Amino acid sequence: GIQVEQSPPDLILQEGANSTLRCNFSDSVNNLQWFHQNPWGQLINLFYIPSGTKQNGRLSATTVATERYSLLYISSSQTTDSGVYFCAVGGGGTSYGKLTFGQGTILTVHP
Amino acid sequence: NAGVTQTPKFQVLKTGQSMTLQCAQDMNHNSMYWYRQDPGMGLRLIYYSASEGTTDKGEVPNGYNVSRLNKREFSLRLESAAPSQTSVYFCASSEALGRQGYGYTFGSGTRLTVV
């Protein structure tokens, strides 16, 4: 199956700093999503981005499908950005919604 | 709008006991999923249901069964719990949104401990 690798595994920032999280995947995908898991365990869908670039406030994401990677940018980080960020990918057809998750990047933002 | 509701939120089982985790969604989504999350790992797919009346195995189905009771409900059953099934279980539902992409919503999770 598809392999998903995220880097870095851990990231510690001061409030206001910028960061880039990376997701590499081993095969072509039709579905790529970024999720944030907050410290209470709730998973929130950030982006659906199998290709191209999207922005939502301080967060933006870029996927270069031909090179099999995606980047999540967090600008002017806040303590509420802390948690785990997961990249998840899915194939085509009936595999579209079946996501394979990376191991996540643990982000800690200090005030 | 409740989204995806899972019950119970916490459960402790003895080895060999059985239980059913319940999941219901009110977004009229066709597809539903069960994932497990273990410490230091991402989520792994146990079973999924692409539409009402269909179910299929995911990456780690051994020791589990599922039932897609109707479009809203998708339950996960542990017939004989083992300590290796200690985990946090997440139910999710999804629907294609055309140009807007793909909506994926998770429940709040069930923390299961098998002793």
Side-chain angles (χ1 to χ4, degrees):
Chain A
I2 298 174
Q3 305 298 311
V4 182
E5 294 185 0
Q6 292 186 241
S7 60
D10 297 276
L11 188 57
I12 300 174
L13 301 174
Q14 288 296 127
E15 203 167 26
N18 302 327
S19 61
T20 301
L21 283 59
R22 186 177 178 102
C23 170
N24 293 330
F25 43 96
S26 62
D27 204 347
S28 60
V29 298
N30 290 303
N31 185 357
L32 188 147
Q33 304 198 35
W34 283 95
F35 294 90
H36 174 223
Q37 187 171 38
N38 66 24
W40 295 272
Q42 183 66 41
L43 283 149
I44 303 297
N45 192 324
L46 298 175
F47 292 105
Y48 165 79
I49 187 163
S51 63
T53 298
K54 288 186 178 179
Q55 181 162 5
N56 185 0
R58 297 181 295 104
L59 274 61
S60 63
T62 295
T63 298
V64 183
T66 53
E67 298 187 22
R68 298 180 184 170
Y69 73 88
S70 183
L71 303 174
L72 178 68
Y73 305 97
I74 304 174
S75 64
S76 304
S77 58
Q78 300 176 359
T79 55
T80 52
D81 295 330
S82 296
V84 186
Y85 289 81
F86 289 106
C87 169
V89 302
T94 58
S95 299
Y96 193 76
K98 294 166 53 182
L99 297 178
T100 298
F101 280 74
Q103 292 190 329
T105 292
I106 301 173
L107 176 64
T108 304
V109 181
H110 291 302
Chain B
N1 191 348
V4 177
T5 302
Q6 290 183 236
T7 55
K9 294 190 184 304
F10 301 93
Q11 183 72 49
V12 178
L13 289 179
K14 294 182 179 179
T15 297
Q17 287 186 318
S18 62
M19 79 162 295
T20 300
L21 280 64
Q22 306 287 351
C23 175
Q25 53 95 5
D26 61 3
M27 297 169 288
N28 203 35
H29 286 175
N30 280 321
S31 302
M32 298 186 73
Y33 314 83
W34 278 103
Y35 289 87
R36 61 177 288 173
Q37 183 178 23
D38 300 300
M41 301 181 69
L43 281 72
R44 293 182 292 169
L45 183 64
I46 304 171
Y47 270 93
Y48 72 102
S49 172
S51 61
E52 184 179 358
T54 68
T55 61
D56 208 345
K57 296 178 180 179
E59 182 183 354
V60 288
N62 291 343
Y64 306 95
N65 284 300
V66 291
S67 295
R68 183 75 182 267
L69 304 172
N70 47 55
K71 191 171 186 178
R72 291 187 63 249
E73 299 173 288
F74 188 39
S75 63
L76 178 72
R77 183 162 178 82
L78 287 69
E79 292 290 352
S80 179
S84 61
Q85 294 178 305
T86 294
S87 189
V88 180
Y89 292 85
F90 287 96
C91 177
S93 68
S94 70
E95 194 65 72
L97 302 175
R99 290 185 178 182
Q100 296 175 20
Y102 201 78
Y104 216 99
T105 304
F106 280 89
S108 57
T110 296
R111 188 173 296 274
L112 175 66
T113 302
V114 183
V115 298

PDB file of all heavy atoms in Angstrom, chain A residues 53-91:
ATOM      1  N   THR A  53      -2.460  24.648  -4.586  1.00  0.00           N
ATOM      2  CA  THR A  53      -2.240  25.428  -3.376  1.00  0.00           C
ATOM      3  C   THR A  53      -3.557  25.974  -2.859  1.00  0.00           C
ATOM      4  O   THR A  53      -4.407  26.399  -3.640  1.00  0.00           O
ATOM      5  CB  THR A  53      -1.262  26.591  -3.657  1.00  0.00           C
ATOM      6  OG1 THR A  53      -0.005  26.061  -4.060  1.00  0.00           O
ATOM      7  CG2 THR A  53      -1.076  27.460  -2.418  1.00  0.00           C
ATOM      8  N   LYS A  54      -3.718  25.941  -1.534  1.00  0.00           N
ATOM      9  CA  LYS A  54      -4.878  26.529  -0.887  1.00  0.00           C
ATOM     10  C   LYS A  54      -4.424  27.303   0.338  1.00  0.00           C
ATOM     11  O   LYS A  54      -3.387  26.989   0.937  1.00  0.00           O
ATOM     12  CB  LYS A  54      -5.883  25.446  -0.455  1.00  0.00           C
ATOM     13  CG  LYS A  54      -6.630  24.795  -1.588  1.00  0.00           C
ATOM     14  CD  LYS A  54      -7.688  23.852  -1.048  1.00  0.00           C
ATOM     15  CE  LYS A  54      -8.496  23.225  -2.172  1.00  0.00           C
ATOM     16  NZ  LYS A  54      -9.520  22.286  -1.658  1.00  0.00           N
ATOM     17  N   GLN A  55      -5.212  28.301   0.703  1.00  0.00           N
ATOM     18  CA  GLN A  55      -4.908  29.073   1.905  1.00  0.00           C
ATOM     19  C   GLN A  55      -6.181  29.266   2.704  1.00  0.00           C
ATOM     20  O   GLN A  55      -7.274  29.441   2.148  1.00  0.00           O
ATOM     21  CB  GLN A  55      -4.309  30.433   1.546  1.00  0.00           C
ATOM     22  CG  GLN A  55      -3.935  31.277   2.760  1.00  0.00           C
ATOM     23  CD  GLN A  55      -2.966  32.392   2.445  1.00  0.00           C
ATOM     24  OE1 GLN A  55      -2.615  32.611   1.296  1.00  0.00           O
ATOM     25  NE2 GLN A  55      -2.525  33.084   3.478  1.00  0.00           N
ATOM     26  N   ASN A  56      -6.000  29.204   4.037  1.00  0.00           N
ATOM     27  CA  ASN A  56      -7.103  29.462   4.941  1.00  0.00           C
ATOM     28  C   ASN A  56      -6.543  30.210   6.147  1.00  0.00           C
ATOM     29  O   ASN A  56      -5.982  29.602   7.060  1.00  0.00           O
ATOM     30  CB  ASN A  56      -7.772  28.158   5.369  1.00  0.00           C
ATOM     31  CG  ASN A  56      -9.001  28.408   6.231  1.00  0.00           C
ATOM     32  OD1 ASN A  56      -9.358  29.555   6.513  1.00  0.00           O
ATOM     33  ND2 ASN A  56      -9.641  27.348   6.666  1.00  0.00           N
ATOM     34  N   GLY A  57      -6.652  31.514   6.110  1.00  0.00           N
ATOM     35  CA  GLY A  57      -6.109  32.324   7.205  1.00  0.00           C
ATOM     36  C   GLY A  57      -4.603  32.215   7.280  1.00  0.00           C
ATOM     37  O   GLY A  57      -3.902  32.455   6.297  1.00  0.00           O
ATOM     38  N   ARG A  58      -4.104  31.832   8.459  1.00  0.00           N
ATOM     39  CA  ARG A  58      -2.647  31.708   8.643  1.00  0.00           C
ATOM     40  C   ARG A  58      -2.093  30.400   8.114  1.00  0.00           C
ATOM     41  O   ARG A  58      -0.888  30.189   8.118  1.00  0.00           O
ATOM     42  CB  ARG A  58      -2.324  31.822  10.137  1.00  0.00           C
ATOM     43  CG  ARG A  58      -2.678  33.161  10.762  1.00  0.00           C
ATOM     44  CD  ARG A  58      -2.291  33.193  12.238  1.00  0.00           C
ATOM     45  NE  ARG A  58      -3.067  32.219  13.014  1.00  0.00           N
ATOM     46  CZ  ARG A  58      -2.603  31.064  13.443  1.00  0.00           C
ATOM     47  NH1 ARG A  58      -1.347  30.717  13.187  1.00  0.00           N
ATOM     48  NH2 ARG A  58      -3.368  30.271  14.151  1.00  0.00           N
ATOM     49  N   LEU A  59      -2.947  29.510   7.700  1.00  0.00           N
ATOM     50  CA  LEU A  59      -2.507  28.212   7.188  1.00  0.00           C
ATOM     51  C   LEU A  59      -2.615  28.171   5.668  1.00  0.00           C
ATOM     52  O   LEU A  59      -3.571  28.715   5.093  1.00  0.00           O
ATOM     53  CB  LEU A  59      -3.368  27.089   7.775  1.00  0.00           C
ATOM     54  CG  LEU A  59      -2.965  26.498   9.123  1.00  0.00           C
ATOM     55  CD1 LEU A  59      -2.980  27.538  10.221  1.00  0.00           C
ATOM     56  CD2 LEU A  59      -3.836  25.319   9.476  1.00  0.00           C
ATOM     57  N   SER A  60      -1.653  27.539   5.063  1.00  0.00           N
ATOM     58  CA  SER A  60      -1.730  27.277   3.634  1.00  0.00           C
ATOM     59  C   SER A  60      -1.086  25.927   3.356  1.00  0.00           C
ATOM     60  O   SER A  60      -0.307  25.415   4.179  1.00  0.00           O
ATOM     61  CB  SER A  60      -1.046  28.377   2.809  1.00  0.00           C
ATOM     62  OG  SER A  60       0.325  28.429   3.101  1.00  0.00           O
ATOM     63  N   ALA A  61      -1.440  25.349   2.220  1.00  0.00           N
ATOM     64  CA  ALA A  61      -0.906  24.038   1.863  1.00  0.00           C
ATOM     65  C   ALA A  61      -0.647  23.996   0.368  1.00  0.00           C
ATOM     66  O   ALA A  61      -1.375  24.613  -0.423  1.00  0.00           O
ATOM     67  CB  ALA A  61      -1.868  22.925   2.267  1.00  0.00           C
ATOM     68  N   THR A  62       0.389  23.263   0.015  1.00  0.00           N
ATOM     69  CA  THR A  62       0.753  23.061  -1.384  1.00  0.00           C
ATOM     70  C   THR A  62       1.038  21.594  -1.600  1.00  0.00           C
ATOM     71  O   THR A  62       1.772  20.989  -0.807  1.00  0.00           O
ATOM     72  CB  THR A  62       2.008  23.875  -1.757  1.00  0.00           C
ATOM     73  OG1 THR A  62       1.708  25.269  -1.653  1.00  0.00           O
ATOM     74  CG2 THR A  62       2.455  23.555  -3.173  1.00  0.00           C
ATOM     75  N   THR A  63       0.488  21.025  -2.659  1.00  0.00           N
ATOM     76  CA  THR A  63       0.796  19.650  -3.038  1.00  0.00           C
ATOM     77  C   THR A  63       1.347  19.632  -4.454  1.00  0.00           C
ATOM     78  O   THR A  63       0.733  20.193  -5.367  1.00  0.00           O
ATOM     79  CB  THR A  63      -0.444  18.755  -2.965  1.00  0.00           C
ATOM     80  OG1 THR A  63      -0.918  18.720  -1.615  1.00  0.00           O
ATOM     81  CG2 THR A  63      -0.121  17.338  -3.424  1.00  0.00           C
ATOM     82  N   VAL A  64       2.527  19.021  -4.599  1.00  0.00           N
ATOM     83  CA  VAL A  64       3.123  18.808  -5.922  1.00  0.00           C
ATOM     84  C   VAL A  64       2.960  17.325  -6.209  1.00  0.00           C
ATOM     85  O   VAL A  64       3.793  16.494  -5.830  1.00  0.00           O
ATOM     86  CB  VAL A  64       4.592  19.238  -5.947  1.00  0.00           C
ATOM     87  CG1 VAL A  64       5.167  19.077  -7.357  1.00  0.00           C
ATOM     88  CG2 VAL A  64       4.737  20.687  -5.473  1.00  0.00           C
ATOM     89  N   ALA A  65       1.875  16.988  -6.884  1.00  0.00           N
ATOM     90  CA  ALA A  65       1.508  15.589  -7.067  1.00  0.00           C
ATOM     91  C   ALA A  65       2.554  14.833  -7.879  1.00  0.00           C
ATOM     92  O   ALA A  65       2.837  13.661  -7.603  1.00  0.00           O
ATOM     93  CB  ALA A  65       0.142  15.496  -7.729  1.00  0.00           C
ATOM     94  N   THR A  66       3.132  15.501  -8.872  1.00  0.00           N
ATOM     95  CA  THR A  66       4.103  14.822  -9.741  1.00  0.00           C
ATOM     96  C   THR A  66       5.356  14.432  -8.973  1.00  0.00           C
ATOM     97  O   THR A  66       6.050  13.480  -9.343  1.00  0.00           O
ATOM     98  CB  THR A  66       4.486  15.707 -10.929  1.00  0.00           C
ATOM     99  OG1 THR A  66       4.924  16.974 -10.428  1.00  0.00           O
ATOM    100  CG2 THR A  66       3.294  15.909 -11.866  1.00  0.00           C
ATOM    101  N   GLU A  67       5.670  15.168  -7.903  1.00  0.00           N
ATOM    102  CA  GLU A  67       6.842  14.852  -7.103  1.00  0.00           C
ATOM    103  C   GLU A  67       6.477  14.180  -5.785  1.00  0.00           C
ATOM    104  O   GLU A  67       7.333  13.927  -4.953  1.00  0.00           O
ATOM    105  CB  GLU A  67       7.669  16.122  -6.864  1.00  0.00           C
ATOM    106  CG  GLU A  67       8.191  16.722  -8.172  1.00  0.00           C
ATOM    107  CD  GLU A  67       9.141  17.876  -7.941  1.00  0.00           C
ATOM    108  OE1 GLU A  67       9.723  17.972  -6.839  1.00  0.00           O
ATOM    109  OE2 GLU A  67       9.299  18.697  -8.868  1.00  0.00           O
ATOM    110  N   ARG A  68       5.205  13.934  -5.589  1.00  0.00           N
ATOM    111  CA  ARG A  68       4.698  13.149  -4.456  1.00  0.00           C
ATOM    112  C   ARG A  68       5.057  13.746  -3.105  1.00  0.00           C
ATOM    113  O   ARG A  68       5.598  13.049  -2.221  1.00  0.00           O
ATOM    114  CB  ARG A  68       5.164  11.693  -4.569  1.00  0.00           C
ATOM    115  CG  ARG A  68       4.626  11.023  -5.825  1.00  0.00           C
ATOM    116  CD  ARG A  68       5.057   9.604  -5.952  1.00  0.00           C
ATOM    117  NE  ARG A  68       4.594   9.040  -7.231  1.00  0.00           N
ATOM    118  CZ  ARG A  68       4.996   7.875  -7.697  1.00  0.00           C
ATOM    119  NH1 ARG A  68       5.860   7.148  -7.015  1.00  0.00           N
ATOM    120  NH2 ARG A  68       4.523   7.432  -8.846  1.00  0.00           N
ATOM    121  N   TYR A  69       4.759  15.027  -2.943  1.00  0.00           N
ATOM    122  CA  TYR A  69       4.902  15.608  -1.625  1.00  0.00           C
ATOM    123  C   TYR A  69       3.902  16.731  -1.449  1.00  0.00           C
ATOM    124  O   TYR A  69       3.367  17.292  -2.421  1.00  0.00           O
ATOM    125  CB  TYR A  69       6.324  16.113  -1.373  1.00  0.00           C
ATOM    126  CG  TYR A  69       6.711  17.374  -2.096  1.00  0.00           C
ATOM    127  CD1 TYR A  69       6.465  18.632  -1.554  1.00  0.00           C
ATOM    128  CD2 TYR A  69       7.345  17.308  -3.340  1.00  0.00           C
ATOM    129  CE1 TYR A  69       6.835  19.782  -2.220  1.00  0.00           C
ATOM    130  CE2 TYR A  69       7.723  18.456  -4.020  1.00  0.00           C
ATOM    131  CZ  TYR A  69       7.463  19.689  -3.463  1.00  0.00           C
ATOM    132  OH  TYR A  69       7.809  20.832  -4.131  1.00  0.00           O
ATOM    133  N   SER A  70       3.646  17.031  -0.179  1.00  0.00           N
ATOM    134  CA  SER A  70       2.768  18.131   0.189  1.00  0.00           C
ATOM    135  C   SER A  70       3.400  18.883   1.352  1.00  0.00           C
ATOM    136  O   SER A  70       4.090  18.272   2.179  1.00  0.00           O
ATOM    137  CB  SER A  70       1.387  17.619   0.586  1.00  0.00           C
ATOM    138  OG  SER A  70       0.501  18.677   0.875  1.00  0.00           O
ATOM    139  N   LEU A  71       3.160  20.179   1.397  1.00  0.00           N
ATOM    140  CA  LEU A  71       3.683  21.032   2.451  1.00  0.00           C
ATOM    141  C   LEU A  71       2.538  21.774   3.121  1.00  0.00           C
ATOM    142  O   LEU A  71       1.631  22.263   2.450  1.00  0.00           O
ATOM    143  CB  LEU A  71       4.686  22.040   1.884  1.00  0.00           C
ATOM    144  CG  LEU A  71       5.888  21.477   1.135  1.00  0.00           C
ATOM    145  CD1 LEU A  71       6.706  22.604   0.512  1.00  0.00           C
ATOM    146  CD2 LEU A  71       6.760  20.650   2.071  1.00  0.00           C
ATOM    147  N   LEU A  72       2.610  21.863   4.448  1.00  0.00           N
ATOM    148  CA  LEU A  72       1.666  22.666   5.215  1.00  0.00           C
ATOM    149  C   LEU A  72       2.447  23.804   5.866  1.00  0.00           C
ATOM    150  O   LEU A  72       3.425  23.554   6.578  1.00  0.00           O
ATOM    151  CB  LEU A  72       0.978  21.823   6.285  1.00  0.00           C
ATOM    152  CG  LEU A  72      -0.010  22.556   7.193  1.00  0.00           C
ATOM    153  CD1 LEU A  72      -1.248  22.994   6.401  1.00  0.00           C
ATOM    154  CD2 LEU A  72      -0.425  21.676   8.372  1.00  0.00           C
ATOM    155  N   TYR A  73       2.022  25.031   5.591  1.00  0.00           N
ATOM    156  CA  TYR A  73       2.675  26.209   6.144  1.00  0.00           C
ATOM    157  C   TYR A  73       1.803  26.807   7.250  1.00  0.00           C
ATOM    158  O   TYR A  73       0.599  26.994   7.062  1.00  0.00           O
ATOM    159  CB  TYR A  73       2.880  27.281   5.075  1.00  0.00           C
ATOM    160  CG  TYR A  73       3.630  26.838   3.845  1.00  0.00           C
ATOM    161  CD1 TYR A  73       2.947  26.455   2.705  1.00  0.00           C
ATOM    162  CD2 TYR A  73       5.027  26.844   3.818  1.00  0.00           C
ATOM    163  CE1 TYR A  73       3.621  26.067   1.563  1.00  0.00           C
ATOM    164  CE2 TYR A  73       5.700  26.457   2.679  1.00  0.00           C
ATOM    165  CZ  TYR A  73       4.994  26.066   1.558  1.00  0.00           C
ATOM    166  OH  TYR A  73       5.677  25.683   0.428  1.00  0.00           O
ATOM    167  N   ILE A  74       2.435  27.091   8.371  1.00  0.00           N
ATOM    168  CA  ILE A  74       1.757  27.785   9.454  1.00  0.00           C
ATOM    169  C   ILE A  74       2.505  29.087   9.692  1.00  0.00           C
ATOM    170  O   ILE A  74       3.702  29.065  10.011  1.00  0.00           O
ATOM    171  CB  ILE A  74       1.728  26.948  10.744  1.00  0.00           C
ATOM    172  CG1 ILE A  74       1.087  25.579  10.472  1.00  0.00           C
ATOM    173  CG2 ILE A  74       0.963  27.689  11.843  1.00  0.00           C
ATOM    174  CD1 ILE A  74       1.141  24.639  11.666  1.00  0.00           C
ATOM    175  N   SER A  75       1.819  30.199   9.527  1.00  0.00           N
ATOM    176  CA  SER A  75       2.479  31.486   9.748  1.00  0.00           C
ATOM    177  C   SER A  75       1.986  32.101  11.052  1.00  0.00           C
ATOM    178  O   SER A  75       0.872  31.830  11.505  1.00  0.00           O
ATOM    179  CB  SER A  75       2.186  32.440   8.578  1.00  0.00           C
ATOM    180  OG  SER A  75       0.809  32.727   8.519  1.00  0.00           O
ATOM    181  N   SER A  76       2.861  32.913  11.646  1.00  0.00           N
ATOM    182  CA  SER A  76       2.528  33.619  12.895  1.00  0.00           C
ATOM    183  C   SER A  76       1.854  32.672  13.890  1.00  0.00           C
ATOM    184  O   SER A  76       0.728  32.909  14.346  1.00  0.00           O
ATOM    185  CB  SER A  76       1.618  34.807  12.605  1.00  0.00           C
ATOM    186  OG  SER A  76       2.210  35.678  11.674  1.00  0.00           O
ATOM    187  N   SER A  77       2.551  31.607  14.241  1.00  0.00           N
ATOM    188  CA  SER A  77       1.947  30.540  15.040  1.00  0.00           C
ATOM    189  C   SER A  77       1.418  31.058  16.382  1.00  0.00           C
ATOM    190  O   SER A  77       1.948  32.017  16.956  1.00  0.00           O
ATOM    191  CB  SER A  77       2.952  29.417  15.268  1.00  0.00           C
ATOM    192  OG  SER A  77       4.103  29.906  15.919  1.00  0.00           O
ATOM    193  N   GLN A  78       0.363  30.402  16.849  1.00  0.00           N
ATOM    194  CA  GLN A  78      -0.266  30.719  18.135  1.00  0.00           C
ATOM    195  C   GLN A  78      -0.288  29.458  18.983  1.00  0.00           C
ATOM    196  O   GLN A  78      -0.192  28.342  18.461  1.00  0.00           O
ATOM    197  CB  GLN A  78      -1.683  31.235  17.893  1.00  0.00           C
ATOM    198  CG  GLN A  78      -1.734  32.489  17.036  1.00  0.00           C
ATOM    199  CD  GLN A  78      -3.159  32.941  16.723  1.00  0.00           C
ATOM    200  OE1 GLN A  78      -4.131  32.311  17.119  1.00  0.00           O
ATOM    201  NE2 GLN A  78      -3.267  34.063  16.017  1.00  0.00           N
ATOM    202  N   THR A  79      -0.450  29.644  20.289  1.00  0.00           N
ATOM    203  CA  THR A  79      -0.442  28.479  21.193  1.00  0.00           C
ATOM    204  C   THR A  79      -1.567  27.510  20.823  1.00  0.00           C
ATOM    205  O   THR A  79      -1.436  26.299  21.017  1.00  0.00           O
ATOM    206  CB  THR A  79      -0.583  28.917  22.645  1.00  0.00           C
ATOM    207  OG1 THR A  79      -1.758  29.708  22.794  1.00  0.00           O
ATOM    208  CG2 THR A  79       0.628  29.742  23.089  1.00  0.00           C
ATOM    209  N   THR A  80      -2.640  28.033  20.273  1.00  0.00           N
ATOM    210  CA  THR A  80      -3.761  27.166  19.884  1.00  0.00           C
ATOM    211  C   THR A  80      -3.448  26.294  18.666  1.00  0.00           C
ATOM    212  O   THR A  80      -4.224  25.397  18.331  1.00  0.00           O
ATOM    213  CB  THR A  80      -5.005  28.006  19.576  1.00  0.00           C
ATOM    214  OG1 THR A  80      -4.650  29.025  18.631  1.00  0.00           O
ATOM    215  CG2 THR A  80      -5.554  28.658  20.839  1.00  0.00           C
ATOM    216  N   ASP A  81      -2.323  26.564  18.013  1.00  0.00           N
ATOM    217  CA  ASP A  81      -1.900  25.711  16.895  1.00  0.00           C
ATOM    218  C   ASP A  81      -1.255  24.416  17.388  1.00  0.00           C
ATOM    219  O   ASP A  81      -1.027  23.496  16.590  1.00  0.00           O
ATOM    220  CB  ASP A  81      -0.898  26.439  15.997  1.00  0.00           C
ATOM    221  CG  ASP A  81      -1.502  27.641  15.290  1.00  0.00           C
ATOM    222  OD1 ASP A  81      -2.716  27.615  15.008  1.00  0.00           O
ATOM    223  OD2 ASP A  81      -0.755  28.606  15.037  1.00  0.00           O
ATOM    224  N   SER A  82      -0.959  24.331  18.657  1.00  0.00           N
ATOM    225  CA  SER A  82      -0.324  23.129  19.206  1.00  0.00           C
ATOM    226  C   SER A  82      -1.190  21.898  18.967  1.00  0.00           C
ATOM    227  O   SER A  82      -2.419  21.982  18.886  1.00  0.00           O
ATOM    228  CB  SER A  82      -0.068  23.299  20.702  1.00  0.00           C
ATOM    229  OG  SER A  82       0.860  24.332  20.942  1.00  0.00           O
ATOM    230  N   GLY A  83      -0.525  20.760  18.853  1.00  0.00           N
ATOM    231  CA  GLY A  83      -1.221  19.507  18.606  1.00  0.00           C
ATOM    232  C   GLY A  83      -0.449  18.672  17.611  1.00  0.00           C
ATOM    233  O   GLY A  83       0.743  18.902  17.386  1.00  0.00           O
ATOM    234  N   VAL A  84      -1.123  17.720  17.022  1.00  0.00           N
ATOM    235  CA  VAL A  84      -0.495  16.852  16.034  1.00  0.00           C
ATOM    236  C   VAL A  84      -1.122  17.119  14.669  1.00  0.00           C
ATOM    237  O   VAL A  84      -2.343  17.192  14.545  1.00  0.00           O
ATOM    238  CB  VAL A  84      -0.666  15.359  16.399  1.00  0.00           C
ATOM    239  CG1 VAL A  84       0.126  14.494  15.426  1.00  0.00           C
ATOM    240  CG2 VAL A  84      -0.230  15.091  17.832  1.00  0.00           C
ATOM    241  N   TYR A  85      -0.247  17.254  13.678  1.00  0.00           N
ATOM    242  CA  TYR A  85      -0.703  17.482  12.308  1.00  0.00           C
ATOM    243  C   TYR A  85      -0.478  16.218  11.492  1.00  0.00           C
ATOM    244  O   TYR A  85       0.634  15.699  11.436  1.00  0.00           O
ATOM    245  CB  TYR A  85       0.039  18.666  11.686  1.00  0.00           C
ATOM    246  CG  TYR A  85      -0.396  19.969  12.302  1.00  0.00           C
ATOM    247  CD1 TYR A  85       0.132  20.394  13.514  1.00  0.00           C
ATOM    248  CD2 TYR A  85      -1.364  20.764  11.692  1.00  0.00           C
ATOM    249  CE1 TYR A  85      -0.298  21.573  14.102  1.00  0.00           C
ATOM    250  CE2 TYR A  85      -1.793  21.947  12.269  1.00  0.00           C
ATOM    251  CZ  TYR A  85      -1.252  22.341  13.486  1.00  0.00           C
ATOM    252  OH  TYR A  85      -1.685  23.507  14.059  1.00  0.00           O
ATOM    253  N   PHE A  86      -1.537  15.733  10.903  1.00  0.00           N
ATOM    254  CA  PHE A  86      -1.473  14.515  10.104  1.00  0.00           C
ATOM    255  C   PHE A  86      -1.722  14.829   8.637  1.00  0.00           C
ATOM    256  O   PHE A  86      -2.617  15.604   8.298  1.00  0.00           O
ATOM    257  CB  PHE A  86      -2.535  13.513  10.551  1.00  0.00           C
ATOM    258  CG  PHE A  86      -2.286  12.881  11.885  1.00  0.00           C
ATOM    259  CD1 PHE A  86      -3.026  13.242  12.996  1.00  0.00           C
ATOM    260  CD2 PHE A  86      -1.313  11.896  12.036  1.00  0.00           C
ATOM    261  CE1 PHE A  86      -2.815  12.661  14.228  1.00  0.00           C
ATOM    262  CE2 PHE A  86      -1.079  11.302  13.269  1.00  0.00           C
ATOM    263  CZ  PHE A  86      -1.835  11.687  14.363  1.00  0.00           C
ATOM    264  N   CYS A  87      -0.944  14.179   7.813  1.00  0.00           N
ATOM    265  CA  CYS A  87      -1.194  14.116   6.384  1.00  0.00           C
ATOM    266  C   CYS A  87      -1.804  12.742   6.117  1.00  0.00           C
ATOM    267  O   CYS A  87      -1.364  11.740   6.693  1.00  0.00           O
ATOM    268  CB  CYS A  87       0.128  14.283   5.641  1.00  0.00           C
ATOM    269  SG  CYS A  87       0.075  13.936   3.873  1.00  0.00           S
ATOM    270  N   ALA A  88      -2.810  12.675   5.253  1.00  0.00           N
ATOM    271  CA  ALA A  88      -3.455  11.403   4.930  1.00  0.00           C
ATOM    272  C   ALA A  88      -3.770  11.373   3.449  1.00  0.00           C
ATOM    273  O   ALA A  88      -4.202  12.375   2.884  1.00  0.00           O
ATOM    274  CB  ALA A  88      -4.727  11.223   5.755  1.00  0.00           C
ATOM    275  N   VAL A  89      -3.560  10.219   2.834  1.00  0.00           N
ATOM    276  CA  VAL A  89      -3.747  10.117   1.383  1.00  0.00           C
ATOM    277  C   VAL A  89      -4.659   8.948   1.049  1.00  0.00           C
ATOM    278  O   VAL A  89      -4.764   7.971   1.802  1.00  0.00           O
ATOM    279  CB  VAL A  89      -2.395   9.942   0.655  1.00  0.00           C
ATOM    280  CG1 VAL A  89      -1.470  11.110   0.977  1.00  0.00           C
ATOM    281  CG2 VAL A  89      -1.742   8.627   0.986  1.00  0.00           C
ATOM    282  N   GLY A  90      -5.313   9.069  -0.110  1.00  0.00           N
ATOM    283  CA  GLY A  90      -6.176   8.012  -0.598  1.00  0.00           C
ATOM    284  C   GLY A  90      -5.993   7.847  -2.092  1.00  0.00           C
ATOM    285  O   GLY A  90      -5.591   8.788  -2.784  1.00  0.00           O
ATOM    286  N   GLY A  91      -6.293   6.645  -2.582  1.00  0.00           N
ATOM    287  CA  GLY A  91      -6.122   6.368  -3.991  1.00  0.00           C
ATOM    288  C   GLY A  91      -7.354   6.730  -4.794  1.00  0.00           C
ATOM    289  O   GLY A  91      -8.115   7.606  -4.422  1.00  0.00           O
TER     290      GLY A  91
END
